[in-house]
């Protein structure tokens, strides 16, 4: 499994990290000001977003830092069985993807802003893969909870493809949300609790988090 790493692999991971992000001027130039929110959505005090974008240890560490995000849960989404275990999901045969369930306040952070972070912190052009993490459980996906989220996700996917922000076509799937199971307790808040224990956190996750905090410093919690 990708998170049980031997020290000998750390040099390779540094060079070919699943979380590595290259500077992309075309992507940086895209303005995330898409379709307006529907009135019914804006009246909600809280909303939920469900994203799959690779290793949830990495992605959780990013979204939990975003101002307006009230809770981030690592788990499994869009699969075919009930209450899957991490070991089962890692086989790639359950249909589940590693994912985040994000509860946020739309009055503080918009779905557009969450999508911007989503697109800019993983590679949405690699099918069933993020770097060295390979399998359907690592696919890129947006699982919308309402028509407003669907419209925005499809809008930005099309706009990014047309802009040439990525050198290859985006393969992120956009589907209606159908299920989500929280991952085991030891996965929750993994980076915060294990940065000094697991070399994966220092070599792979920490650089990604640092880069995110610089790029999105205006969106961080105080």
């Amino acid at each position: 499994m990708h998170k049980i790493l031997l020290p000998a692999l750390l040099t390779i991971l540094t060079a070919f990290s699943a979380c590595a992000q290259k500077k992309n001027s075309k992507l940086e130039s895209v303005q995330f000001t898409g379709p307006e929110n529907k009135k019914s959505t804006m009246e909600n005090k809280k909303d939920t977003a469900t994203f799959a974008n690779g290793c949830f240890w990495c992605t959780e560490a990013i979204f939990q830092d975003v101002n307006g995000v009230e809770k981030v849960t690592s788990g499994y989404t869009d699969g075919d069985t009930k209450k899957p275990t991490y070991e089962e999901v890692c086989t790639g045969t359950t249909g589940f993807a590693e994912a985040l369930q994000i509860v946020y306040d739309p009055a503080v952070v918009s779905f557009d802003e969450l999508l911007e972070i989503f697109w800019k912190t993983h590679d949405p052009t690699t099918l069933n893969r993020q770097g060295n993490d390979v399998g359907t459980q690592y696919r890129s996906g947006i699982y919308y909870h309402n028509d407003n989220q669907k419209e925005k996700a499809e809008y930005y996917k099309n706009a990014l493809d047309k802009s040439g922000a990525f050198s290859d076509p985006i393969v992120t799937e956009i589907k209606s949300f159908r299920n989500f199971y929280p991952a085991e307790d030891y996965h929750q808040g993994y980076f915060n609790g294990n940065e000094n224990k697991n070399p994966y956190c220092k070599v792979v996750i920490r650089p990604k988090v640092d880069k995110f905090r610089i790029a999105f410093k205006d969106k961080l919690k105080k």
Side-chain angles (χ1 to χ4, degrees), residues 49 79 170 175 205:
I170 293 172
K175 299 172 63 178
I205 305 179

Side-chain angles (χ1 to χ4, degrees), residues 5-20 129 131-133 200 203-204:
L5 302 175
L6 297 173
L9 294 178
L10 293 180
T11 300
I12 298 174
L13 282 172
T14 303
F16 300 101
S17 167
C19 301
R129 178 172 189 165
N132 285 347
D133 293 337
Y200 184 89
V203 175
V204 177

Side-chain angles (χ1 to χ4, degrees), residues 117-164:
I117 295 168
F118 170 84
W119 294 116
K120 291 183 177 180
T121 55
H122 82 297
D123 185 349
T125 70
T126 52
L127 184 64
N128 300 328
R129 178 172 189 165
Q130 285 298 303
N132 285 347
D133 293 337
V134 181
T136 56
Q137 67 270 31
Y138 302 117
R139 65 187 181 270
S140 175
I142 300 169
Y143 304 92
Y144 57 85
H145 291 257
N146 52 56
D147 290 341
N148 191 64
Q149 290 187 356
K150 178 184 179 182
E151 183 180 10
K152 288 177 179 292
E154 291 178 342
Y155 171 86
Y156 288 120
K157 180 179 179 179
N158 292 332
L160 287 166
D161 267 335
K162 290 179 180 178
S163 74

Side-chain angles (χ1 to χ4, degrees), residues 31-39 41-42 47 51 104 106 109-116 118-119 142 144-160 174:
Q31 299 298 311
F32 283 78
T33 52
E36 293 184 1
N37 289 305
K38 294 178 173 60
K39 184 177 180 181
T41 299
M42 295 304 293
D47 209 341
F51 297 148
Y104 66 99
V109 61
S110 67
F111 189 64
D112 302 70
E113 292 173 298
L114 295 179
L115 284 175
E116 180 180 7
F118 170 84
W119 294 116
I142 300 169
Y144 57 85
H145 291 257
N146 52 56
D147 290 341
N148 191 64
Q149 290 187 356
K150 178 184 179 182
E151 183 180 10
K152 288 177 179 292
E154 291 178 342
Y155 171 86
Y156 288 120
K157 180 179 179 179
N158 292 332
L160 287 166
I174 300 174

Side-chain angles (χ1 to χ4, degrees), residues 87-107:
E87 288 73 18
E88 290 171 339
V89 173
C90 281
T91 67
T93 61
T94 64
F96 282 97
E98 287 196 17
L100 300 179
Q101 192 90 298
I102 302 168
V103 178
Y104 66 99
D105 183 349

Side-chain angles (χ1 to χ4, degrees), residues 58-76:
C58 299
T59 53
E60 179 196 62
I62 284 176
F63 280 97
Q64 68 185 5
D65 268 358
V66 177
N67 189 33
V69 169
E70 301 191 357
K71 184 178 181 180
V72 182
T73 304
S74 292
Y76 317 112

